[in-house]
Amino acid sequence: MFNYIFAIISIIFGLWKLNDTIKNTTRDTNSALQPFLSGILGSIAFIVLGIIIIYFKITGKL
């Protein structure tokens, strides 16, 4: 599971989800932007996961 292909797919999915969240989420004035914020945080988590996996694979720790 922790290989380069999974890391690249994770980064691509995170970028796609970030783009989709920013473009297609409407801001409701009555909410605290919870759906908007969770989409952004989830996509950033996927990007960071992919970067960490690639870093650990390069350094030989994984």
Side-chain angles (χ1 to χ4, degrees):
M1 179 174 154
F2 296 114
N3 54 21
Y4 291 111
I5 295 172
F6 177 74
I8 292 171
I9 290 173
S10 175
I11 292 171
I12 290 171
F13 179 74
L15 291 172
W16 172 75
K17 193 62 182 167
L18 181 66
N19 187 26
D20 182 57
T21 301
I22 290 173
K23 282 187 177 181
N24 297 328
T25 303
T26 59
R27 292 186 177 191
D28 188 10
T29 57
N30 294 331
S31 73
L33 297 177
Q34 289 300 325
F36 185 75
L37 187 60
S38 64
I40 289 177
L41 292 178
S43 60
I44 289 172
F46 270 105
I47 295 169
V48 169
L49 175 69
I51 291 171
I52 288 173
I53 290 172
I54 289 174
Y55 172 75
F56 282 156
K57 290 294 272 186
I58 289 173
T59 58
K61 295 180 182 178
L62 187 66

